[in-house]
């Protein structure tokens, strides 16, 4: 009997260690340090590096890639259980060496990079020595990659890149970008693009400005508007075959989306915990909030949302491990991606409401989390697109009928049942 909802004892012990380590040593860093991506900052070196060493010693470092891909990982299901803890803290993914977008970029490099690219970029990325950025979305449209215009033109042994990219997260901290370019504009829509590693110090890689989300101060954001101006990269920096950029992107995006979902569970749990604590602490009209049925409904609905989302994420992670082929889990990942913003949004909204004025104040992280729920409905493709993917994948398993009344109408089913069993149950059939 293979269905089992328990974590094995040895791994649970590691998770318990991680939970305490996060609470006591990592979450406090969220309160005192700036960006988790500033690897060269003296405060980072002094405070974060020793914690990374502790994680390495425990064997929990960079668990997103398995040994066959150059990592130390142990599959997506175990990663999910770890990531839902890491999701609670801003610094946790960096301390454990599994932060976006480096995880997805490492996955592309592991699958498609030459040995030289792996030595130069994958290993330092997995070691936490350098940061990376993924440069795909363009200012004129992100949801429809067939509209992309950033071109890479072959010139001898090099490609010359010209164009613009929008929301290339962490480009300001990155040593290299993985850029999606159009190399074959006349090919069918999904065979026009090619992916390249572009070192950020290459002449012509220019950050127009760093865009922030919400009320981040102008220029303080981490999502770069990048202009590529006659950027030359060697042919050997190509990732995957020419014209196969869309397929290469899927390698990255599948993993990236489920990792966001795992961490989102952590954020939802955080909001849920706050809501429960507040309900048991605040009095109004002679009773605690927890005694009011409309508050109880918020808690019950949030628990159901969270637990059912968590099961969907864990099952999807399990299926990724089982099939080791993202194409076979497209439906599951699309479902997770489409469910994530709604679950996150609804739980955080209820938590805000239960906290009243404190909930909307700048003394709780809840308004930022609410914005985070919208980000989850946009980054890595908007919810609408994932719902379309999900519906299409589901509908592949069905067939329509040309009959005027479909076979599942009760008269048709009854007729079929009589044909099958009529002789044996004469009396009931007569009564119909
Ligand atoms: C915080 C954050 C980080 C990001 N990081 C990166 C990154 O590192 N690298 C990178 O390349 N990109 C990144 N992105 C960009 C992200 O991938 C795009 O924002 C996303 O693909 C949507 O593209 P768009 O913003 O151009 O929206 P548009 O394509 O303009 O779409 C706008 C809206 O139109 C609707 N819509 C679009 N298509 C459909 C459809 N088929 N059916 C129905 N409605 C539809 C949706 O409501 C959608 O939200 C990031 C975005 C965010 C918010």
């Amino acid at each position: 009997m293979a269905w089992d909802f328990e974590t094995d004892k040895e791994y649970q012990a590691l998770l318990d260690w991680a939970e305490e380590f996060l609470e006591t040593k990592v979450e406090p860093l969220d309160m005192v340090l700036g960006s988790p991506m500033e690897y060269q900052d003296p405060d980072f070196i002094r405070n974060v590096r020793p914690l990374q060493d502790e994680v390495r010693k425990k064997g929990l470092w960079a668990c997103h890639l398995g040994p066959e891909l150059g990592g130390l990982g142990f599959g997506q299901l175990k990663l999910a259980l770890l990531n839902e803890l890491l999701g609670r803290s801003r610094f946790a993914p960096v301390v454990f060496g599994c932060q976006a977008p480096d995880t997805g970029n490492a996955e592309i490099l592991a699958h498609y990079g030459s040995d030289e690219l792996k030595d130069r970029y994958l290993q330092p990325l997995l070691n936490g020595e350098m940061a990376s950025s993924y440069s795909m979305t363009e200012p004129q449209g992100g949801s429809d990659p067939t509209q992309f215009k950033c071109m890479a033109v072959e010139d001898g042994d090099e490609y010359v890149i010209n164009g613009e990219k929008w929301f290339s997260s962490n480009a300001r901290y990155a040593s290299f970008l993985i850029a999606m370019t159009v190399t074959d504009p006349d090919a069918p829509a999904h065979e026009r693009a090619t992916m390249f590693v572009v070192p950020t110090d290459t002449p012509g890689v220019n950050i127009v400005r760093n865009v922030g989300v919400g009320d981040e101060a102008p220029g303080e954001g981490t999502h770069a508007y990048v202009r590529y101006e006659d950027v030359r990269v060697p042919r050997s920096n190509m990732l995957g075959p020419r014209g196969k950029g869309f397929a290469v992107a899927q390698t990255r995006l599948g993993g990236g989306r489920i990792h966001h979902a795992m961490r989102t569970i952590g954020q939802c749990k955080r909001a849920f915990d706050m809501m429960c604590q507040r309900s048991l602490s605040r009095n109004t009209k002679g009773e605690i909030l927890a005694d009011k049925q409309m508050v109880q409904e918020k808690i019950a609905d949030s628990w159901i949302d969270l637990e059912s989302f968590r099961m969907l994420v864990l099952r999807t992670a399990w299926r990724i491990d089982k099939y080791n082929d993202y194409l076979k889990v497209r439906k599951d990942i699309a479902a997770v991606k489409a469910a994530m913003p709604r679950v996150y949004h609804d739980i955080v909204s209820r938590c805000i409401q239960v906290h009243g004025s404190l909930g909307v104040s700048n003394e709780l992280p809840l308004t930022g989390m609410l914005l985070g729920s919208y980000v989850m409905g946009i980054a890595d493709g908007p919810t609408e697109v994932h719902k379309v993917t999900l519906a299409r994948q589901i509908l592949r398993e069905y067939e329509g009928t040309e009959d005027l009344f479909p076979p599942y109408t009760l008269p048709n089913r009854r007729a079929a049942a009589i044909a099958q069993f009529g002789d044996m149950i004469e009396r009931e059939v007569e009564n119909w």
Side-chain angles (χ1 to χ4, degrees):
M1 184 63 202
W3 289 83
D4 190 342
F5 295 92
E6 271 178 356
T7 311
D8 64 50
K9 277 204 188 82
E10 299 80 54
Y11 193 61
Q12 187 57 53
L14 280 177
L15 292 174
D16 293 344
W17 173 85
E19 193 164 8
E20 209 211 316
F21 174 75
L22 286 162
E23 211 175 299
T24 54
K25 298 190 179 172
V26 183
E27 287 183 34
L29 291 180
D30 293 348
M31 297 293 111
V32 289
L33 291 188
S35 165
M37 303 308 298
E38 304 224 40
Y39 296 172
Q40 307 313 326
D41 181 61
D43 282 335
F44 184 100
I45 294 168
R46 224 178 355 259
N47 295 290
V48 180
R49 293 284 180 213
L51 299 184
Q52 292 177 326
D53 288 340
E54 282 192 59
V55 171
R56 281 192 184 93
K57 280 189 202 128
K58 276 279 167 191
L60 289 174
W61 175 257
C63 293
H64 51 286
L65 288 187
E68 73 287 2
L69 294 178
L72 299 171
F74 30 55
Q76 299 299 312
L77 181 58
K78 282 183 160 179
L79 179 65
L81 294 166
L82 179 64
N83 256 342
E84 63 183 27
L85 300 176
L86 306 190
R88 293 173 72 96
S89 153
R90 210 162 48 87
F91 264 84
V94 163
V95 170
F96 281 71
C98 58
Q99 67 284 0
D102 297 341
T103 44
N105 290 342
E107 208 159 349
I108 289 189
L109 282 164
H111 277 282
Y112 299 103
S114 62
D115 287 346
E116 197 197 326
L117 286 178
K118 282 182 189 162
D119 281 350
R120 197 177 309 159
Y121 299 107
L122 177 60
Q123 217 41 59
L125 202 59
L126 291 174
N127 294 345
E129 291 155 9
M130 60 168 63
S132 67
S133 176
Y134 184 64
S135 201
M136 176 169 161
T137 305
E138 299 192 3
Q140 75 279 3
S143 306
D144 179 7
T146 61
Q147 287 187 33
F148 290 170
K149 297 194 289 203
C150 180
M151 293 282 295
V153 177
E154 197 170 3
D155 182 21
D157 268 352
E158 293 181 323
Y159 278 79
V160 185
I161 305 175
N162 276 290
E164 292 187 340
K165 293 287 176 183
W166 171 247
F167 259 73
S168 296
S169 301
N170 292 344
R172 65 190 292 180
Y173 308 116
S175 301
F176 67 95
L177 304 123
I178 291 187
M180 175 118 152
T181 64
V182 177
T183 44
D184 301 88
D186 301 323
H190 290 90
E191 286 167 25
R192 289 178 198 154
T194 305
M195 211 75 94
F196 289 96
V197 172
V198 182
T200 38
D201 58 5
T202 315
V205 175
N206 297 315
I207 293 184
V208 180
R209 60 178 183 270
N210 285 303
V211 183
V213 289
D215 56 5
E216 277 182 294
E220 286 301 304
T222 55
H223 310 287
Y225 177 14
V226 186
R227 189 168 292 144
Y228 293 78
E229 294 175 281
D230 289 328
V231 175
R232 287 185 168 269
V233 289
R235 178 197 305 274
S236 55
N237 279 23
M238 193 184 282
L239 291 163
R242 178 169 164 162
K244 296 292 175 204
F246 280 84
V248 174
Q250 284 312 318
T251 314
R252 160 184 217 295
L253 291 170
R257 285 169 187 145
I258 187 86
H259 297 160
H260 272 313
M262 296 166 182
R263 288 186 293 261
T264 296
I265 296 171
Q267 286 290 307
C268 292
K269 179 71 169 52
R270 204 170 147 214
F272 182 75
D273 290 347
M274 286 189 237
M275 179 164 36
C276 292
Q277 276 188 21
R278 185 65 167 179
S279 307
L280 290 165
S281 317
R282 186 81 165 170
N283 267 280
T284 187
K285 296 247 180 203
E287 60 185 4
I288 52 172
L289 291 179
D291 287 338
K292 300 195 179 294
Q293 287 192 342
M294 276 188 261
V295 172
Q296 290 169 354
E297 185 185 45
K298 288 181 179 55
I299 290 168
D301 285 345
S302 299
W303 191 89
I304 292 166
D305 285 348
L306 177 55
E307 286 300 311
S308 43
F309 177 60
R310 181 169 185 254
M311 284 301 125
L312 185 65
V313 172
L314 292 176
R315 180 176 172 277
T316 301
W318 174 81
R319 283 169 67 86
I320 296 173
D321 289 342
K322 183 176 161 77
Y323 295 113
N324 199 21
D325 176 358
Y326 280 120
L327 280 180
K328 291 206 171 117
V329 287
R330 262 189 94 186
K331 180 173 76 178
D332 309 79
I333 291 181
V336 162
K337 177 70 173 73
M340 167 165 54
R342 186 194 57 73
V343 171
Y344 192 10
H345 172 274
D346 289 359
I347 294 176
V348 170
S349 299
R350 294 181 196 118
C351 183
I352 288 177
Q353 189 68 20
V354 165
H355 279 86
S357 51
L358 186 60
V360 292
S361 76
N362 61 1
E363 300 194 356
L364 281 184
L366 294 170
T367 55
M369 291 163 81
L370 192 63
L371 185 66
S373 74
Y374 286 91
V375 165
M376 288 308 163
I378 294 169
D380 289 344
T383 303
E384 292 89 335
V385 171
H386 293 287
K387 285 187 175 171
V388 169
T389 303
L390 175 59
R392 284 191 179 146
Q393 296 279 322
I394 292 168
L395 289 171
R396 280 185 192 171
E397 294 160 21
Y398 289 86
E399 270 180 30
T401 171
E402 288 180 3
D403 302 334
L404 183 56
F405 295 103
Y408 49 80
T409 57
L410 296 181
N412 280 345
R413 285 178 58 197
R414 216 172 273 133
I418 289 170
Q420 187 179 351
F421 293 115
D423 291 348
M424 289 182 284
I425 43 174
E426 233 166 89
R427 210 157 47 133
E428 277 81 353
V429 172
E430 274 168 13
N431 290 341
W432 281 354

